[in-house]
Amino acid sequence: MMDNHIVEVINVTREVAWLPWAVQYFFLIGLSVGGLLLSLPGYAFAKEEWRKLGRTALLVALTCGLAAPVALLSDLHQPGRFWHFYVVLRPTSWMWWGSVFIPLYITGLLVYGWTCVREELQAHGRVDSRLAALYRLAALNGGRNDALIRAAGLFALSGALLVALYTGAEVAVVKARPLWHTPFLPVQFLMTALAGAAGLVLVLNRFAAGNDRAVEVRANRLLAGFLGGVMLVGALWLALGLFGLDTTHAEALGSVAGSEAWRVTAVWAVAATALPFAIAVAKPAGTGLLTGLIALHGAWMFRWTVFIGGQSVPKTGAGFYDYALPAGPEGLLGIVGTAGLWLFLLIALTAILPSPRRPAPGPARAPQTPAGTVAAAE
């Protein structure tokens, strides 16, 4: 006998759990790690030709590193929850390890930053001004110490690598989302962070560091290398899915194959990577502002696509969840507020430690004739 009962299947639409605050955190902490890595040749390894680029990169690392934890606390929905990480041990959770690695990294970054600018603090302390005593106190009456800078730099580097590991791993371990569950994700987070940091160095070089042409050329060449790495990692991920070499990657591609929006996103991702790469290779001088802005855009949009776009793909069921960016603190206002905090930190740091100015060219002087030559002529 035929069963005439109607069976109704109901699927639940789930709100996104990782809000735009998370995008801001992963973006800023990635830029900070990338800025630290770019500063090491000039400071920790004392390569003078890297010194100017290293100073701008250090500014990137400090401003982004100090702003990032604020976005992370906001993403907890109730910032007071952060202390729970320190009273309840969860060594099997990558998020718990993040609560250990972040303070380690920020502390190391601040100590490293102080050792790098100590020479500048000492120089400001020699100037006859009301703040001279404070600058001398901040420098602890010491100057440049390459051994101390190297030690602090290596300590900060260890913290940076741990942060890069945990930020990628805590997303990649989510097996329920094939788009996230890939070993390429931590690598791509790091590569796009380096590209974004090089992009921000180019932007700050234009507006806050004297528009040094040598720094622009070097940073553009670094950017081209990082973007080449981004394209390589993306191509490997795509090949594993297209040719069915790995089940998870094939499922990831299959989950978005029927979406026009995801196809547009893929075209955008290729364009946002290939365009600045081509410009930086063909003309590294004079294009830093353009390539830098595109690289920053690409780094931020990659994280937006991973978190917000990734959560629009249901774990079970068909179709896609819709997401509309709220105007309040959990949406647009939060994004603008985080950017404002970063801008405030940038203004504060550049006001306390303005970029060293290049010496102005002096007036041309006529060559002096030796006295003996004049006497002989007479």
Side-chain angles (χ1 to χ4, degrees), residues 90-116:
R90 289 286 186 271
T92 57
S93 167
W94 278 107
M95 193 172 291
W96 181 85
W97 280 110
S99 69
V100 177
F101 296 155
I102 293 170
L104 178 71
Y105 169 64
I106 298 299
T107 301
L109 174 63
L110 291 174
V111 173
Y112 169 65
W114 173 76
T115 62
C116 292

Side-chain angles (χ1 to χ4, degrees), residues 9-251:
V9 179
I10 300 175
N11 194 19
V12 179
T13 300
R14 302 184 182 277
E15 298 293 333
V16 296
W18 296 64
L19 299 174
W21 288 114
V23 178
Q24 294 295 92
Y25 166 69
F26 278 81
F27 176 64
L28 289 170
I29 202 68
L31 292 184
S32 180
V33 168
L36 173 74
L37 295 177
L38 292 178
S39 74
L40 291 176
Y43 283 104
F45 303 116
K47 294 184 178 181
E48 292 300 326
E49 66 273 19
W50 285 79
R51 196 79 171 187
K52 290 183 179 179
L53 186 147
R55 193 187 188 282
T56 307
L58 180 65
L59 189 62
V60 170
L62 288 170
T63 54
C64 294
L66 292 174
V70 177
L72 179 61
L73 289 176
S74 300
D75 190 58
L76 294 176
H77 306 280
Q78 184 180 339
R81 292 174 176 170
F82 82 93
W83 64 271
H84 292 178
F85 288 109
Y86 302 102
V87 296
V88 180
L89 300 182
R90 289 286 186 271
T92 57
S93 167
W94 278 107
M95 193 172 291
W96 181 85
W97 280 110
S99 69
V100 177
F101 296 155
I102 293 170
L104 178 71
Y105 169 64
I106 298 299
T107 301
L109 174 63
L110 291 174
V111 173
Y112 169 65
W114 173 76
T115 62
C116 292
V117 301
R118 192 181 184 191
E119 183 180 14
E120 295 180 37
L121 292 170
Q122 184 188 48
H124 284 291
R126 296 195 186 104
V127 178
D128 185 15
S129 70
R130 296 178 181 178
L131 299 177
L134 290 177
Y135 279 113
R136 289 194 296 272
L137 179 62
L140 297 181
N141 291 322
R144 177 172 173 175
N145 186 329
D146 286 341
L148 182 61
I149 294 174
R150 185 175 296 108
L154 293 177
F155 179 77
L157 173 63
S158 63
L161 295 178
L162 289 174
V163 167
L165 173 64
Y166 113 83
T167 50
E170 73 171 333
V171 183
V173 295
V174 182
K175 296 181 180 180
R177 296 193 182 276
L179 280 171
W180 293 358
H181 189 53
T182 168
F184 290 116
L185 188 61
V187 180
Q188 196 69 304
F189 269 150
L190 180 58
M191 293 307 303
T192 54
L194 287 168
L200 189 51
V201 166
L202 287 164
V203 173
L204 292 184
N205 178 62
R206 180 67 174 269
F207 294 113
N211 196 20
D212 190 285
R213 186 54 59 90
V215 170
E216 180 184 37
V217 171
R218 188 183 296 274
N220 251 333
R221 288 172 177 165
L222 288 171
L223 176 60
F226 298 145
L227 291 175
V230 169
M231 289 187 286
L232 177 61
V233 174
L236 290 173
W237 179 86
L238 185 62
L240 288 179
L242 282 177
F243 299 109
L245 301 177
D246 181 81
T247 304
T248 301
H249 293 82
E251 290 177 357

Side-chain angles (χ1 to χ4, degrees), residues 15-21 23-24 75 77 300 304 308 311 322-337:
E15 298 293 333
V16 296
W18 296 64
L19 299 174
W21 288 114
V23 178
Q24 294 295 92
D75 190 58
H77 306 280
W300 189 85
W304 179 271
I308 305 301
Q311 292 177 97
D322 291 328
Y323 175 79
L325 180 67
E330 294 187 348
L332 182 60
L333 185 60
I335 295 173
V336 174

Side-chain angles (χ1 to χ4, degrees), residues 238-269:
L238 185 62
L240 288 179
L242 282 177
F243 299 109
L245 301 177
D246 181 81
T247 304
T248 301
H249 293 82
E251 290 177 357
L253 280 180
S255 66
V256 297
S259 171
E260 181 65 26
W262 277 93
R263 282 195 289 268
V264 172
T265 299
V267 173
W268 155 82

